[in-house]
Amino acid sequence: MHQTVFVDLAERSYDVEIGPDLLAQAGVRIKPLLHRPRVAVLTDETVAGLHLDALRAGLAAAGVEMTALALPPGEATKSWPQFERAVEWLLAEKVERRDVVVAFGGGVIGDLAGFAAAVLRRGVRFVQIPTSLLAQVDSSVGGKTGINAPQGKNLIGAFHQPSLVLADTSVLGTLTARDFLAGYGEVVKYGLLGDAEFFEWLERNGPALAGGDMAARVQAVTRSVQMKADIVARDETEQGDRALLNLGHTFCHALEAATGYSDRLLHGEGVAIGCALAFELSARLGLCSQEDPSRVRAHLRAMGMKTDLADIPGDLPGAEALVDLMAQDKKVVDGQLRFILARGIGQAFVTSDVPRDAVLSVLEDALATC
Ligand code: GLY
């Protein structure tokens, strides 16, 4: 059932291994990268409690020792204080230039550990072992690393590609249903942005996948990673096509900011709602048929996911305030809002040519149902 996706980036190329029970094979898979049989693992307390013993055993099976630092779980960890703690710990553990750091956790740990590896001794290699669905299909692949600033998310960071990604799909079994479905928002995004057949496949197989069907999980993660790998290989540093991966994200970032990056809205939930809004906006602009946003929303609903603004608990600001929050996104270019719109399911494109009034009217109508 194991699959391998190759991320083709010349001398920075690497494999993403996907399948069940990969933690047990971590040692044999990582050992070829090592000059000495020892790795430093950055993780969070939740993941450590659930899976660190399995990782330790998997490494030890190939004679690889590990030392680990568990940081607090949650987005607040992507900050200077925890970053400083991680880097100083890696230095205290005498991690050398030729050693390998392991990021073992969800997107927060992957981003922070990757950034720590990028700057430690001017750059050491790192391996991603993503434990959330969101990290397996998105953040562990492609080399975006970093932490948040008081001014916004992910504003401090570096491109630093991992040397290997091990996506153990068995580990997804310990996610809460909410976290799993939030990650599924990013899976749906791939179908919507570039593969209508994959979206159809998700319409048919999404419920089984969410219910624990391992073959379906492996297939969904593999297709998602393959799509991301293809886009990243074309545009590693987001000069063009890579922005397609931000389908739904302009709306999502405004909603995350409006809800204070809190538990009211998880990132993947915001992406799902954002995708539905991006398709609604595309339909209003005459780019795609009105059936497309309805179909997107129907699938999200069938999966029991947040789909509309009304699904976000608590009050939201008005449409004007939401558009102002969009304008603070770091992906704004020359003051122009950039949107990913679609000519149909699987046919997304990047544009800065979106009238503010059209965005406002989509949001006003969406807020009216709250
Ligand atoms: N998560 C979007 C990207 O990696 O470009």
Side-chain angles (χ1 to χ4, degrees):
M1 209 188 271
H2 286 156
Q3 302 287 333
T4 304
V5 174
F6 181 62
V7 186
D8 190 355
L9 289 167
E11 71 283 0
R12 292 180 307 291
S13 298
Y14 52 96
D15 284 334
V16 182
E17 308 282 354
I18 300 151
D21 302 319
L22 279 176
L23 289 188
Q25 300 171 24
V28 281
R29 305 241 177 203
I30 294 174
K31 203 166 184 181
L33 299 172
L34 304 179
H35 290 277
R36 53 175 175 164
R38 181 174 184 269
V39 292
V41 178
L42 288 169
T43 185
D44 75 34
E45 287 153 8
T46 308
V47 171
L50 291 165
H51 303 297
L52 197 59
D53 286 345
L55 177 61
R56 186 181 287 108
L59 291 166
V64 178
E65 278 176 32
M66 60 160 255
T67 171
L69 174 67
L71 299 171
E75 189 71 27
T77 290
K78 266 177 69 170
S79 60
W80 282 122
Q82 296 296 338
F83 179 72
E84 182 179 8
R85 194 177 152 203
V87 171
E88 294 199 350
W89 176 78
L90 291 168
L91 290 171
E93 290 295 321
K94 302 196 170 34
V95 174
E96 296 176 3
R97 191 80 190 273
R98 301 198 313 170
D99 287 334
V100 166
V101 171
V102 173
F104 186 44
V108 167
I109 288 298
D111 286 6
L112 181 143
F115 186 36
V119 298
L120 189 81
R121 302 185 191 279
R122 299 205 178 90
V124 302
R125 291 164 304 146
F126 79 117
V127 170
Q128 289 268 21
I129 307 186
T131 56
S132 68
L133 180 58
L134 186 137
Q136 293 194 353
V137 299
D138 183 31
S139 56
S140 67
V141 179
K144 281 189 181 175
T145 73
I147 57 174
N148 300 329
Q151 290 82 355
K153 278 180 76 172
N154 298 323
L155 293 181
I156 303 152
F159 282 102
H160 186 51
Q161 298 292 343
S163 301
L164 173 70
V165 182
L166 297 179
D168 183 338
T169 47
S170 303
V171 169
L172 301 177
T174 57
L175 293 176
T176 64
R178 186 178 180 199
D179 281 329
F180 186 89
L181 286 179
Y184 185 80
E186 297 276 3
V187 175
V188 172
K189 179 195 79 177
Y190 287 105
L192 295 177
L193 77 88
D195 188 344
E197 255 178 52
F198 182 46
F199 183 73
E200 276 168 35
W201 184 89
L202 291 171
E203 287 178 314
R204 287 194 306 278
N205 295 283
L209 189 159
D213 181 325
M214 190 58 78
R217 286 183 172 190
V218 173
Q219 200 169 332
V221 174
T222 302
R223 182 64 193 132
S224 301
V225 169
Q226 184 66 62
M227 288 187 71
K228 178 147 190 184
D230 290 347
I231 291 173
V232 168
R234 290 205 298 276
D235 178 21
E236 184 179 5
T237 57
E238 201 167 316
Q239 307 302 311
D241 264 13
R242 185 163 178 167
L244 291 172
L245 296 170
N246 297 323
L247 176 63
H249 282 62
T250 306
F251 287 107
C252 171
H253 286 146
L255 296 172
E256 283 184 295
T259 49
Y261 302 99
S262 69
D263 206 32
R264 281 171 65 197
L265 185 72
L266 303 179
H267 177 69
E269 294 173 336
V271 169
I273 296 173
C275 284
L277 289 169
F279 269 81
E280 184 60 42
L281 179 57
S282 302
R284 301 259 182 120
L285 294 171
L287 293 163
C288 68
S289 75
Q290 189 56 53
E291 281 83 65
D292 287 335
S294 304
R295 194 171 152 199
V296 174
R297 294 175 65 255
H299 180 53
L300 300 178
R301 276 264 165 266
M303 294 296 292
M305 296 168 71
K306 287 193 173 63
T307 307
D308 297 306
L309 297 188
D311 298 326
I312 303 171
D315 291 336
L316 288 172
E320 286 280 359
L322 285 173
V323 175
D324 287 346
L325 287 171
M326 286 177 183
Q328 286 167 26
D329 193 272
K330 71 174 177 308
K331 297 188 177 71
V332 169
V333 179
D334 297 335
Q336 288 281 88
L337 271 180
R338 221 165 27 141
F339 279 92
I340 319 304
L341 297 179
R343 296 193 175 88
I345 287 176
Q347 298 173 58
F349 65 99
V350 186
T351 178
S352 299
D353 189 19
V354 180
R356 186 183 164 97
D357 283 353
V359 184
L360 272 176
S361 94
V362 165
L363 286 170
E364 275 159 7
D365 291 353
L367 285 164
T369 64
C370 289

